[in-house]
Amino acid sequence: ATDDVVSTLTKTYAVSGSATLVASTQYKSSSFVNTGPIPPRPNKETTYTVNLRVSAQNAIGNTKVSFVLPAYVTWRNVTSSPNVTYDSKSRTVTWNIGNLEQGKFIMADVGLSVIPSQSHVGSSPVITSGIVLNTDEIVSRAHLKSTLSPLTTVVKDEVWPENPSVVVDRP
């Protein structure tokens, strides 16, 4: 009839998803044995471990972490996860995590070899590019991307008699 009232009610929900990436450089506190001079020295190999940790507030999928190695950093082919790969042409390390359940976290260690040059004396050279997390929030289907600053030879939470992170030019 002409007097009928028709209405439409629409509700919109905003789902805030999050995934967190944390990365650090390790030497003594690593799951791998690292070797070489500490503090690092020019033209001498020192090995480090990159520790990566991804956590999810909500369930996530298609999750990948990646970074590129500088020319003076070498992939050691040592990882704590079979899902970490290295592409020698692009110098890219990729950790294919896949799905991660809500409230869970996952970690991986990656072994790298660093040979600083004379130009690095007095600094803590970068050992990775920016570290990128790409993932999809499963419920909202939102794509999440975050990028951490590059890691350097700075090792934290380890006790050393002198600064273990800055390249020095001495025997």
Side-chain angles (χ1 to χ4, degrees), residues 108-124:
D109 288 335
V110 178
L112 301 178
S113 172
V114 180
I115 301 178
S117 69
Q118 195 68 37
S119 66
H120 291 121
V121 172
S123 70
S124 300

PDB file of all heavy atoms in Angstrom, residues 108-124:
ATOM      1  N   ALA A 108      62.238 -16.748  14.373  1.00  0.00           N
ATOM      2  CA  ALA A 108      63.222 -17.394  13.497  1.00  0.00           C
ATOM      3  C   ALA A 108      64.558 -16.676  13.669  1.00  0.00           C
ATOM      4  O   ALA A 108      64.607 -15.462  13.876  1.00  0.00           O
ATOM      5  CB  ALA A 108      62.788 -17.345  12.040  1.00  0.00           C
ATOM      6  N   ASP A 109      65.631 -17.451  13.597  1.00  0.00           N
ATOM      7  CA  ASP A 109      66.986 -16.911  13.626  1.00  0.00           C
ATOM      8  C   ASP A 109      67.627 -17.139  12.263  1.00  0.00           C
ATOM      9  O   ASP A 109      67.438 -18.188  11.645  1.00  0.00           O
ATOM     10  CB  ASP A 109      67.832 -17.597  14.704  1.00  0.00           C
ATOM     11  CG  ASP A 109      67.427 -17.179  16.109  1.00  0.00           C
ATOM     12  OD1 ASP A 109      66.872 -16.074  16.262  1.00  0.00           O
ATOM     13  OD2 ASP A 109      67.668 -17.950  17.054  1.00  0.00           O
ATOM     14  N   VAL A 110      68.413 -16.144  11.824  1.00  0.00           N
ATOM     15  CA  VAL A 110      69.079 -16.197  10.527  1.00  0.00           C
ATOM     16  C   VAL A 110      70.544 -15.839  10.740  1.00  0.00           C
ATOM     17  O   VAL A 110      70.849 -14.800  11.326  1.00  0.00           O
ATOM     18  CB  VAL A 110      68.434 -15.195   9.534  1.00  0.00           C
ATOM     19  CG1 VAL A 110      69.163 -15.216   8.204  1.00  0.00           C
ATOM     20  CG2 VAL A 110      66.950 -15.485   9.364  1.00  0.00           C
ATOM     21  N   GLY A 111      71.452 -16.702  10.263  1.00  0.00           N
ATOM     22  CA  GLY A 111      72.881 -16.451  10.412  1.00  0.00           C
ATOM     23  C   GLY A 111      73.444 -15.646   9.253  1.00  0.00           C
ATOM     24  O   GLY A 111      73.206 -15.973   8.093  1.00  0.00           O
ATOM     25  N   LEU A 112      74.193 -14.577   9.585  1.00  0.00           N
ATOM     26  CA  LEU A 112      74.823 -13.732   8.580  1.00  0.00           C
ATOM     27  C   LEU A 112      76.302 -13.554   8.894  1.00  0.00           C
ATOM     28  O   LEU A 112      76.712 -13.589  10.047  1.00  0.00           O
ATOM     29  CB  LEU A 112      74.160 -12.343   8.543  1.00  0.00           C
ATOM     30  CG  LEU A 112      72.665 -12.292   8.243  1.00  0.00           C
ATOM     31  CD1 LEU A 112      72.172 -10.853   8.294  1.00  0.00           C
ATOM     32  CD2 LEU A 112      72.353 -12.925   6.904  1.00  0.00           C
ATOM     33  N   SER A 113      77.087 -13.345   7.859  1.00  0.00           N
ATOM     34  CA  SER A 113      78.514 -13.076   7.982  1.00  0.00           C
ATOM     35  C   SER A 113      78.778 -11.657   7.492  1.00  0.00           C
ATOM     36  O   SER A 113      78.324 -11.281   6.412  1.00  0.00           O
ATOM     37  CB  SER A 113      79.294 -14.080   7.135  1.00  0.00           C
ATOM     38  OG  SER A 113      80.646 -13.728   7.099  1.00  0.00           O
ATOM     39  N   VAL A 114      79.520 -10.886   8.296  1.00  0.00           N
ATOM     40  CA  VAL A 114      79.761  -9.476   7.974  1.00  0.00           C
ATOM     41  C   VAL A 114      81.267  -9.241   7.880  1.00  0.00           C
ATOM     42  O   VAL A 114      82.018  -9.615   8.791  1.00  0.00           O
ATOM     43  CB  VAL A 114      79.150  -8.555   9.057  1.00  0.00           C
ATOM     44  CG1 VAL A 114      79.407  -7.089   8.734  1.00  0.00           C
ATOM     45  CG2 VAL A 114      77.659  -8.824   9.216  1.00  0.00           C
ATOM     46  N   ILE A 115      81.691  -8.628   6.774  1.00  0.00           N
ATOM     47  CA  ILE A 115      83.095  -8.211   6.629  1.00  0.00           C
ATOM     48  C   ILE A 115      83.090  -6.697   6.408  1.00  0.00           C
ATOM     49  O   ILE A 115      82.928  -6.221   5.281  1.00  0.00           O
ATOM     50  CB  ILE A 115      83.797  -8.941   5.467  1.00  0.00           C
ATOM     51  CG1 ILE A 115      83.761 -10.452   5.692  1.00  0.00           C
ATOM     52  CG2 ILE A 115      85.243  -8.440   5.335  1.00  0.00           C
ATOM     53  CD1 ILE A 115      84.387 -11.265   4.582  1.00  0.00           C
ATOM     54  N   PRO A 116      83.250  -5.929   7.507  1.00  0.00           N
ATOM     55  CA  PRO A 116      83.236  -4.471   7.357  1.00  0.00           C
ATOM     56  C   PRO A 116      84.476  -3.987   6.596  1.00  0.00           C
ATOM     57  O   PRO A 116      85.512  -4.659   6.594  1.00  0.00           O
ATOM     58  CB  PRO A 116      83.246  -3.950   8.785  1.00  0.00           C
ATOM     59  CG  PRO A 116      83.344  -5.118   9.684  1.00  0.00           C
ATOM     60  CD  PRO A 116      83.423  -6.355   8.873  1.00  0.00           C
ATOM     61  N   SER A 117      84.349  -2.837   5.978  1.00  0.00           N
ATOM     62  CA  SER A 117      85.479  -2.244   5.267  1.00  0.00           C
ATOM     63  C   SER A 117      86.122  -1.165   6.138  1.00  0.00           C
ATOM     64  O   SER A 117      85.603  -0.816   7.212  1.00  0.00           O
ATOM     65  CB  SER A 117      85.010  -1.642   3.949  1.00  0.00           C
ATOM     66  OG  SER A 117      84.209  -0.504   4.197  1.00  0.00           O
ATOM     67  N   GLN A 118      87.214  -0.628   5.656  1.00  0.00           N
ATOM     68  CA  GLN A 118      87.909   0.448   6.363  1.00  0.00           C
ATOM     69  C   GLN A 118      86.987   1.656   6.554  1.00  0.00           C
ATOM     70  O   GLN A 118      87.076   2.349   7.556  1.00  0.00           O
ATOM     71  CB  GLN A 118      89.163   0.845   5.577  1.00  0.00           C
ATOM     72  CG  GLN A 118      90.158   1.682   6.358  1.00  0.00           C
ATOM     73  CD  GLN A 118      90.815   0.904   7.492  1.00  0.00           C
ATOM     74  OE1 GLN A 118      91.101  -0.277   7.364  1.00  0.00           O
ATOM     75  NE2 GLN A 118      91.020   1.569   8.612  1.00  0.00           N
ATOM     76  N   SER A 119      86.077   1.867   5.621  1.00  0.00           N
ATOM     77  CA  SER A 119      85.155   3.013   5.717  1.00  0.00           C
ATOM     78  C   SER A 119      84.151   2.875   6.863  1.00  0.00           C
ATOM     79  O   SER A 119      83.499   3.849   7.230  1.00  0.00           O
ATOM     80  CB  SER A 119      84.407   3.216   4.395  1.00  0.00           C
ATOM     81  OG  SER A 119      83.542   2.125   4.141  1.00  0.00           O
ATOM     82  N   HIS A 120      84.026   1.685   7.436  1.00  0.00           N
ATOM     83  CA  HIS A 120      83.099   1.469   8.551  1.00  0.00           C
ATOM     84  C   HIS A 120      83.724   1.760   9.917  1.00  0.00           C
ATOM     85  O   HIS A 120      83.020   1.713  10.929  1.00  0.00           O
ATOM     86  CB  HIS A 120      82.575   0.027   8.546  1.00  0.00           C
ATOM     87  CG  HIS A 120      81.677  -0.273   7.402  1.00  0.00           C
ATOM     88  ND1 HIS A 120      81.957  -1.264   6.488  1.00  0.00           N
ATOM     89  CD2 HIS A 120      80.508   0.288   6.995  1.00  0.00           C
ATOM     90  CE1 HIS A 120      80.991  -1.317   5.585  1.00  0.00           C
ATOM     91  NE2 HIS A 120      80.107  -0.378   5.875  1.00  0.00           N
ATOM     92  N   VAL A 121      85.039   2.015   9.968  1.00  0.00           N
ATOM     93  CA  VAL A 121      85.704   2.271  11.250  1.00  0.00           C
ATOM     94  C   VAL A 121      85.007   3.430  11.960  1.00  0.00           C
ATOM     95  O   VAL A 121      84.716   4.455  11.370  1.00  0.00           O
ATOM     96  CB  VAL A 121      87.212   2.570  11.056  1.00  0.00           C
ATOM     97  CG1 VAL A 121      87.857   3.027  12.362  1.00  0.00           C
ATOM     98  CG2 VAL A 121      87.922   1.333  10.525  1.00  0.00           C
ATOM     99  N   GLY A 122      84.705   3.218  13.241  1.00  0.00           N
ATOM    100  CA  GLY A 122      84.030   4.242  14.042  1.00  0.00           C
ATOM    101  C   GLY A 122      82.523   4.211  13.941  1.00  0.00           C
ATOM    102  O   GLY A 122      81.843   5.034  14.542  1.00  0.00           O
ATOM    103  N   SER A 123      81.965   3.254  13.193  1.00  0.00           N
ATOM    104  CA  SER A 123      80.509   3.167  13.049  1.00  0.00           C
ATOM    105  C   SER A 123      80.038   1.740  13.269  1.00  0.00           C
ATOM    106  O   SER A 123      80.830   0.812  13.371  1.00  0.00           O
ATOM    107  CB  SER A 123      80.084   3.648  11.653  1.00  0.00           C
ATOM    108  OG  SER A 123      80.499   2.730  10.661  1.00  0.00           O
ATOM    109  N   SER A 124      78.739   1.595  13.322  1.00  0.00           N
ATOM    110  CA  SER A 124      78.093   0.281  13.407  1.00  0.00           C
ATOM    111  C   SER A 124      77.381   0.052  12.078  1.00  0.00           C
ATOM    112  O   SER A 124      76.271   0.534  11.879  1.00  0.00           O
ATOM    113  CB  SER A 124      77.078   0.249  14.547  1.00  0.00           C
ATOM    114  OG  SER A 124      77.694   0.517  15.779  1.00  0.00           O
TER     115      SER A 124
END
